[in-house]
Amino acid sequence: MYLFICVLDNPSHLTAVLEGWSQAGVLGITVLDSTGVQRIRERADQQGVPMLMGFSRLLQSDQYSHNTLFAVVKDMDTIRRAVAATESVTGDLSGPHTGILFALPVEEAWGLPKQYDATAA
């Protein structure tokens, strides 16, 4: 199993990426609104406030810069299909302002449906 994470730079791509992941077989996707520190610095500069002093105020905005998606995925084949689906929406992820994807091994997980358990019959 793997923890599959995507920081999607353009929130307008969210619906298409979620659809692609679902078609690739990714289950139980969680989506968070997120922003990177560079975007926080830019907002602080635009508003004329020191970053640390204005941090909470900057984050109270309804405008987030990214979406972070994550899910526990059974195998790398599913992840590869989801990466291809993501790039069909965002373009090549090595390009600027697209996003970042990565997978981390998960040694154990609890609360997942039986289809995640490789030993389940």
Side-chain angles (χ1 to χ4, degrees), residues 5 14 26 31 38-40 63 103:
I5 300 172
L14 179 62
V26 178
V31 179
Q38 183 60 34
R39 301 272 169 99
I40 292 171
Q63 296 178 341

Side-chain angles (χ1 to χ4, degrees), residues 80-113:
R80 287 184 190 97
R81 289 192 304 271
V83 169
T86 302
E87 288 191 315
S88 74
V89 174
T90 63
D92 185 346
L93 287 165
S94 65
H97 307 295
T98 53
I100 182 172
L101 288 165
F102 57 96
L104 303 169
V106 173
E107 188 154 330
E108 291 194 50
W110 294 264
L112 297 175

Side-chain angles (χ1 to χ4, degrees), residues 74-86:
K74 186 175 180 178
D75 56 58
M76 284 302 296
D77 288 337
T78 301
I79 289 173
R80 287 184 190 97
R81 289 192 304 271
V83 169
T86 302

Side-chain angles (χ1 to χ4, degrees), residues 50-90:
M51 186 175 89
L52 293 178
M53 290 181 66
F55 189 77
S56 63
R57 187 176 75 170
L58 292 167
L59 291 179
Q60 289 174 356
S61 165
D62 289 336
Q63 296 178 341
Y64 292 92
S65 299
H66 304 113
N67 293 113
T68 299
L69 295 70
F70 62 95
V72 175
V73 178
K74 186 175 180 178
D75 56 58
M76 284 302 296
D77 288 337
T78 301
I79 289 173
R80 287 184 190 97
R81 289 192 304 271
V83 169
T86 302
E87 288 191 315
S88 74
V89 174
T90 63

